[in-house]
Amino acid sequence: MNETIIYALLLTTFAGLSTGIGSALAFFTKKTNKAFLAISLGFSGGVMIYVSFVDILVKAIESLEQVYSESTAAWYGVGAFFLGIIIIMIIDRFIPSFENPHEPKQIEDMNAPKDDKKLYRMGLFTALAIGIHNFPEGIATFSAYLVDPSIGIPIAIAIAIHNIPEGIAVSIPVYYSTGSRKKAFWLSFSSGLSEPVGAIIGYMILHTILTPATFGFLFAAVGGIMVFISVDELLPTAREYDHGHKAIYGMIAGMAVMAFSILIMM
């Protein structure tokens, strides 16, 4: 296993296990920093939207052009982009809304009236839902780093930020229903393991058939997944944490940082 693959796997693992950061925040802070979460989630959305349209889709089509004509490659790239959106939409569709990990949770919810059995079930299903969501995210982060570390690193950071509220969403109901910080933390932490698992399984399936064509299709689909995550999860959640303009400011800042980083690497 070469160095690039090892770094890609480590980066994907970091992104996935950042659910543990959310869990730690729930236990060691008394109040939700709504402004921080709104700006951070908006920033992550801006990074992923900008890089998906400006870099990922472009590189996917360029790869397809090595095999197909310019026009055909463009059609295939756009088709794969929307196929990625459809895949993540299907995954999202089969998770009931009351167990959806992207419903905003606040640290103050730990003081809400409790129904132990219902809360514990909610925590378990939220952890499962996060695992299902994170699987394609792991493939996306891993693939992005293999293609271009300058893209993969900011995407991994964006995914890591996006996983922090998910960690809160798991740990609050589990802790409140069991009284165990340890159980809540480890369940929240382990729910992010599906990202490196997704990366490993994706690599095992794809590495033997990685050609310019398969790479182009995969990378375009990754772009679609990233855009859907941003517009369906990150930005709405950011607005829930702050109804002002902080989420939008964060998104614009994320786009600007990504744009300048791409220009610098050119």
Side-chain angles (χ1 to χ4, degrees), residues 96-237:
S97 60
F98 70 91
E99 289 158 0
N100 196 312
H102 304 114
E103 294 294 319
K105 300 290 188 299
Q106 298 183 36
I107 294 164
E108 291 89 332
D109 292 343
M110 296 181 84
N111 299 317
K114 62 180 178 179
D115 177 341
D116 291 354
K117 194 172 181 180
K118 184 178 180 181
L119 276 175
Y120 188 64
R121 179 176 177 272
M122 183 184 295
L124 290 176
F125 274 94
T126 300
L128 176 62
I130 287 172
I132 295 169
H133 274 83
N134 285 359
F135 191 85
E137 291 174 13
I139 297 175
T141 307
F142 185 82
S143 303
Y145 186 88
L146 286 184
V147 176
D148 188 345
S150 68
I151 296 174
I153 291 172
I155 285 177
I157 293 171
I159 291 289
I161 293 171
H162 142 264
N163 282 342
I164 290 174
E166 295 185 349
I168 296 173
V170 174
S171 60
I172 287 175
V174 173
Y175 169 72
Y176 207 48
S177 61
T178 65
S180 171
R181 292 174 187 267
K182 185 176 180 180
K183 182 178 287 188
F185 176 80
W186 283 111
L187 185 61
S188 172
F189 186 75
S190 60
S191 67
L193 284 174
S194 61
E195 288 209 13
V197 170
I200 291 169
I201 292 175
Y203 176 73
M204 289 173 64
I205 293 171
L206 295 169
H207 84 281
T208 57
I209 57 170
L210 264 185
T211 64
T214 56
F215 168 78
F217 285 117
L218 173 65
F219 214 43
V222 164
I225 290 170
M226 292 295 181
V227 170
F228 185 84
I229 289 170
S230 299
V231 299
D232 184 64
E233 301 170 14
L234 293 177
L235 298 179
T237 305

Side-chain angles (χ1 to χ4, degrees), residues 17-41:
L17 297 185
S18 64
T19 51
I21 298 173
S23 184
L25 286 175
F27 298 140
F28 298 111
T29 59
K30 294 182 179 181
K31 188 176 181 181
T32 305
N33 190 332
K34 295 181 181 180
F36 171 77
L37 284 174
I39 293 170
S40 298
L41 291 169

Side-chain angles (χ1 to χ4, degrees), residues 48-78:
M48 291 204 286
I49 289 171
Y50 188 89
V51 77
S52 294
F53 285 116
V54 174
D55 212 11
I56 290 179
L57 184 57
V58 172
K59 286 186 175 176
I61 292 173
E62 286 175 352
S63 183
L64 289 167
E65 285 175 353
Q66 297 180 42
V67 182
Y68 306 105
S69 68
E70 186 175 331
S71 175
T72 301
W75 277 101
Y76 282 163
V78 171

